[in-house]
Amino acid sequence: MKKTSNIFARLISYVFHPLFMPSLGLMLFFFSKKINGFNFYAPSAVQDDNIIVISVTLIFSLILPSFFVLILKKGKYIESYHMKNREERLLPFTLMSISMVCAYYLLFSFYEVEVEPIIMFFYVGCLLSIILALAITFTWKISIHMIGIGGFTGAVFLLNYLSKSNNITMLVSVILISGVVAYSRLTLKAHTIKQVVAGYVLGFACESFVLILI
């Protein structure tokens, strides 16, 4: 039974890996059809900007960070891809932070894409969460998985609020998924309850804090 639980926990940890969360959040926005201009039915001129946003997000939040981790593992800067030790997380998190800053610069300064404010808010939330995670990691090990799924939950909440859709089913579903992810991290003994809760609260807060600015 314990072996089965560990296999399930590892599967969940891989499926909901924090590197996937920015891209999944963006896909949620795109396929929800609730954001003007950011969907399949947008005019071709606007669709060009949408393609840039999606491409830059995939490259700088998923592909490049994955490549960084692979190189660090090959160079023996980290012992494993799980990065169980707090100290060995510092360099990967630093590189991921730089990568996300580059993505933000490319989208909103270099390409100057024209998108709804919620997309920029989403990016600000992603930036905040990874930078704060890096700062915290200097002294304490916080759950990055829970920051990721907490941020995704915040993105769902943000989408519901700004689009006035009140999709309770979607929100409840992602909260239940968050519980499963938390269970997987605790089952694998990757984190304590405090680290799991702190990660979730931080991720959610970083994505939803922009509501106070509106």
Side-chain angles (χ1 to χ4, degrees):
M1 177 65 81
K2 185 177 180 180
K3 184 177 180 181
T4 302
S5 296
N6 284 345
I7 292 173
F8 174 74
R10 288 190 181 280
L11 178 62
I12 292 297
S13 294
Y14 283 123
V15 171
F16 295 99
H17 194 280
L19 287 181
F20 297 143
M21 292 301 108
S23 297
L24 285 177
L26 201 62
M27 290 298 99
L28 168 71
F29 289 165
F30 190 79
F31 289 109
S32 71
K33 305 174 187 176
K34 298 182 187 302
I35 301 176
N36 291 331
F38 194 67
N39 50 61
F40 276 120
Y41 307 103
S44 57
V46 178
Q47 206 67 270
D48 290 342
D49 279 347
N50 292 344
I51 292 172
I52 292 174
V53 170
I54 293 171
S55 299
V56 167
T57 302
L58 285 171
I59 292 170
F60 286 88
S61 73
L62 178 57
I63 298 174
L64 275 182
S66 299
F67 179 73
F68 293 152
V69 172
L70 178 63
I71 294 300
L72 291 174
K73 178 65 170 61
K74 293 291 184 181
K76 298 183 178 179
Y77 288 100
I78 58 176
E79 292 183 8
S80 73
Y81 295 117
H82 301 291
M83 292 178 277
K84 296 180 180 179
N85 298 322
R86 174 182 59 81
E87 292 79 8
E88 66 179 351
R89 294 181 168 206
L90 293 173
L91 182 54
F93 287 4
T94 299
L95 294 174
M96 291 173 193
S97 298
I98 293 172
S99 186
M100 285 302 294
V101 169
C102 290
Y104 186 89
Y105 170 79
L106 282 174
L107 289 177
F108 305 112
S109 294
F110 185 78
Y111 289 115
E112 296 183 340
V113 293
E114 295 183 7
V115 290
E116 288 292 303
I118 188 175
I119 303 299
M120 184 178 290
F121 294 157
F122 174 72
Y123 256 88
V124 171
C126 289
L127 271 175
L128 262 181
S129 62
I130 187 62
I131 290 172
L132 289 176
L134 172 61
I136 292 170
T137 301
F138 276 98
T139 57
W140 193 56
K141 184 183 176 184
I142 192 169
S143 175
I144 305 302
H145 274 79
M146 293 311 296
I147 290 177
I149 195 64
F152 189 78
T153 306
V156 172
F157 181 77
L158 190 66
L159 178 64
N160 277 351
Y161 183 86
L162 294 181
S163 66
K164 296 180 174 59
S165 62
N166 295 320
N167 192 331
I168 302 301
T169 301
M170 182 186 295
L171 190 57
V172 170
S173 296
V174 75
I175 290 173
L176 290 175
I177 291 172
S178 300
V180 175
V181 175
Y183 165 80
S184 73
R185 304 313 290 160
L186 293 172
T187 298
L188 295 173
K189 293 181 170 51
H191 294 284
T192 64
I193 293 178
K194 287 182 179 179
Q195 293 166 348
V196 164
V197 172
Y200 191 71
V201 171
L202 177 63
F204 182 86
C206 285
E207 282 298 341
S208 57
F209 92 102
V210 294
L211 293 177
I212 67 176
L213 303 178
I214 301 173

Tab-separated table of all heavy atoms in Angstrom, residues 28-36 38-39 159-160 162-167 170:
chain	number	residue	atom	x	y	z
A	28	LEU	N	-5.210	28.178	-19.613
A	28	LEU	CA	-6.525	28.330	-18.992
A	28	LEU	C	-7.183	29.619	-19.464
A	28	LEU	O	-8.355	29.631	-19.842
A	28	LEU	CB	-6.379	28.356	-17.467
A	28	LEU	CG	-7.620	28.797	-16.677
A	28	LEU	CD1	-8.692	27.714	-16.738
A	28	LEU	CD2	-7.259	29.110	-15.232
A	29	PHE	N	-6.428	30.706	-19.467
A	29	PHE	CA	-6.953	31.985	-19.929
A	29	PHE	C	-7.381	31.902	-21.391
A	29	PHE	O	-8.436	32.390	-21.775
A	29	PHE	CB	-5.890	33.081	-19.779
A	29	PHE	CG	-5.607	33.480	-18.356
A	29	PHE	CD1	-4.484	34.207	-18.046
A	29	PHE	CD2	-6.461	33.121	-17.329
A	29	PHE	CE1	-4.222	34.590	-16.745
A	29	PHE	CE2	-6.214	33.494	-16.023
A	29	PHE	CZ	-5.091	34.232	-15.723
A	30	PHE	N	-6.534	31.275	-22.205
A	30	PHE	CA	-6.771	31.232	-23.656
A	30	PHE	C	-8.007	30.407	-23.995
A	30	PHE	O	-8.865	30.826	-24.780
A	30	PHE	CB	-5.544	30.662	-24.357
A	30	PHE	CG	-5.594	30.790	-25.856
A	30	PHE	CD1	-5.297	31.989	-26.475
A	30	PHE	CD2	-5.926	29.698	-26.646
A	30	PHE	CE1	-5.344	32.108	-27.861
A	30	PHE	CE2	-5.975	29.804	-28.033
A	30	PHE	CZ	-5.675	31.018	-28.635
A	31	PHE	N	-8.123	29.214	-23.401
A	31	PHE	CA	-9.217	28.312	-23.754
A	31	PHE	C	-10.516	28.622	-23.006
A	31	PHE	O	-11.567	28.087	-23.359
A	31	PHE	CB	-8.813	26.861	-23.513
A	31	PHE	CG	-7.794	26.350	-24.492
A	31	PHE	CD1	-6.491	26.116	-24.094
A	31	PHE	CD2	-8.132	26.137	-25.822
A	31	PHE	CE1	-5.534	25.661	-24.993
A	31	PHE	CE2	-7.192	25.682	-26.736
A	31	PHE	CZ	-5.886	25.444	-26.312
A	32	SER	N	-10.441	29.466	-21.996
A	32	SER	CA	-11.660	29.826	-21.261
A	32	SER	C	-12.584	30.701	-22.104
A	32	SER	O	-13.785	30.773	-21.833
A	32	SER	CB	-11.295	30.572	-19.971
A	32	SER	OG	-10.799	31.865	-20.259
A	33	LYS	N	-12.023	31.390	-23.099
A	33	LYS	CA	-12.777	32.297	-23.980
A	33	LYS	C	-13.391	33.471	-23.214
A	33	LYS	O	-14.322	34.109	-23.679
A	33	LYS	CB	-13.893	31.551	-24.731
A	33	LYS	CG	-13.419	30.343	-25.517
A	33	LYS	CD	-14.602	29.592	-26.109
A	33	LYS	CE	-14.160	28.293	-26.762
A	33	LYS	NZ	-15.314	27.508	-27.263
A	34	LYS	N	-12.836	33.761	-22.029
A	34	LYS	CA	-13.405	34.820	-21.202
A	34	LYS	C	-12.608	36.124	-21.275
A	34	LYS	O	-12.985	37.120	-20.678
A	34	LYS	CB	-13.485	34.359	-19.741
A	34	LYS	CG	-14.374	33.151	-19.528
A	34	LYS	CD	-14.451	32.772	-18.069
A	34	LYS	CE	-15.203	31.463	-17.867
A	34	LYS	NZ	-16.570	31.475	-18.398
A	35	ILE	N	-11.473	36.102	-22.012
A	35	ILE	CA	-10.632	37.289	-22.116
A	35	ILE	C	-10.702	37.825	-23.536
A	35	ILE	O	-10.351	37.123	-24.495
A	35	ILE	CB	-9.170	36.966	-21.748
A	35	ILE	CG1	-9.100	36.409	-20.317
A	35	ILE	CG2	-8.304	38.217	-21.865
A	35	ILE	CD1	-7.720	35.981	-19.897
A	36	ASN	N	-11.142	39.041	-23.679
A	36	ASN	CA	-11.279	39.655	-25.003
A	36	ASN	C	-9.949	39.640	-25.759
A	36	ASN	O	-8.923	40.086	-25.244
A	36	ASN	CB	-11.763	41.100	-24.874
A	36	ASN	CG	-13.195	41.178	-24.384
A	36	ASN	OD1	-13.989	40.268	-24.625
A	36	ASN	ND2	-13.535	42.260	-23.686
A	38	PHE	N	-7.957	37.288	-26.402
A	38	PHE	CA	-7.019	36.207	-26.084
A	38	PHE	C	-7.756	34.870	-26.144
A	38	PHE	O	-8.057	34.235	-25.144
A	38	PHE	CB	-6.399	36.425	-24.700
A	38	PHE	CG	-5.190	35.568	-24.439
A	38	PHE	CD1	-4.015	35.770	-25.149
A	38	PHE	CD2	-5.226	34.561	-23.488
A	38	PHE	CE1	-2.901	34.972	-24.920
A	38	PHE	CE2	-4.120	33.755	-23.247
A	38	PHE	CZ	-2.951	33.972	-23.970
A	39	ASN	N	-8.031	34.455	-27.390
A	39	ASN	CA	-8.733	33.192	-27.630
A	39	ASN	C	-8.628	32.849	-29.119
A	39	ASN	O	-8.051	33.604	-29.905
A	39	ASN	CB	-10.205	33.282	-27.211
A	39	ASN	CG	-10.887	34.507	-27.788
A	39	ASN	OD1	-10.976	34.657	-29.013
A	39	ASN	ND2	-11.354	35.406	-26.923
A	159	LEU	N	-9.316	35.096	-12.856
A	159	LEU	CA	-10.119	34.995	-14.075
A	159	LEU	C	-11.599	35.097	-13.754
A	159	LEU	O	-12.352	35.810	-14.428
A	159	LEU	CB	-9.816	33.671	-14.780
A	159	LEU	CG	-10.608	33.385	-16.063
A	159	LEU	CD1	-10.275	34.406	-17.139
A	159	LEU	CD2	-10.320	31.970	-16.564
A	160	ASN	N	-12.038	34.374	-12.732
A	160	ASN	CA	-13.452	34.415	-12.335
A	160	ASN	C	-13.874	35.823	-11.924
A	160	ASN	O	-14.951	36.293	-12.290
A	160	ASN	CB	-13.708	33.444	-11.180
A	160	ASN	CG	-13.932	32.019	-11.665
A	160	ASN	OD1	-14.061	31.767	-12.854
A	160	ASN	ND2	-13.956	31.078	-10.748
A	162	LEU	N	-12.396	38.865	-12.604
A	162	LEU	CA	-12.326	39.903	-13.638
A	162	LEU	C	-13.325	39.669	-14.766
A	162	LEU	O	-13.790	40.621	-15.392
A	162	LEU	CB	-10.901	39.995	-14.196
A	162	LEU	CG	-9.835	40.479	-13.205
A	162	LEU	CD1	-8.474	40.559	-13.879
A	162	LEU	CD2	-10.199	41.845	-12.632
A	163	SER	N	-13.646	38.400	-15.030
A	163	SER	CA	-14.608	38.110	-16.100
A	163	SER	C	-16.037	38.032	-15.570
A	163	SER	O	-16.977	37.869	-16.343
A	163	SER	CB	-14.252	36.792	-16.790
A	163	SER	OG	-14.396	35.704	-15.901
A	164	LYS	N	-16.158	38.135	-14.223
A	164	LYS	CA	-17.475	38.069	-13.563
A	164	LYS	C	-18.245	36.803	-13.954
A	164	LYS	O	-19.461	36.822	-14.135
A	164	LYS	CB	-18.306	39.314	-13.897
A	164	LYS	CG	-17.699	40.601	-13.363
A	164	LYS	CD	-18.554	41.798	-13.719
A	164	LYS	CE	-18.027	43.076	-13.058
A	164	LYS	NZ	-16.644	43.407	-13.431
A	165	SER	N	-17.504	35.687	-14.121
A	165	SER	CA	-18.143	34.443	-14.550
A	165	SER	C	-18.625	33.591	-13.380
A	165	SER	O	-19.535	32.792	-13.517
A	165	SER	CB	-17.166	33.620	-15.404
A	165	SER	OG	-16.021	33.273	-14.646
A	166	ASN	N	-17.974	33.757	-12.219
A	166	ASN	CA	-18.355	32.993	-11.023
A	166	ASN	C	-18.443	31.488	-11.305
A	166	ASN	O	-19.425	30.831	-10.952
A	166	ASN	CB	-19.700	33.484	-10.472
A	166	ASN	CG	-19.626	34.919	-9.973
A	166	ASN	OD1	-18.639	35.297	-9.354
A	166	ASN	ND2	-20.641	35.710	-10.258
A	167	ASN	N	-17.410	30.965	-11.953
A	167	ASN	CA	-17.365	29.534	-12.252
A	167	ASN	C	-16.890	28.776	-11.013
A	167	ASN	O	-15.705	28.494	-10.844
A	167	ASN	CB	-16.432	29.279	-13.442
A	167	ASN	CG	-16.578	27.869	-13.980
A	167	ASN	OD1	-16.909	26.939	-13.242
A	167	ASN	ND2	-16.328	27.702	-15.263
A	170	MET	N	-15.015	25.274	-11.527
A	170	MET	CA	-13.602	25.352	-11.872
A	170	MET	C	-12.759	25.644	-10.636
A	170	MET	O	-11.703	25.022	-10.421
A	170	MET	CB	-13.359	26.448	-12.925
A	170	MET	CG	-11.912	26.557	-13.388
A	170	MET	SD	-11.643	27.976	-14.488
A	170	MET	CE	-12.658	27.514	-15.894
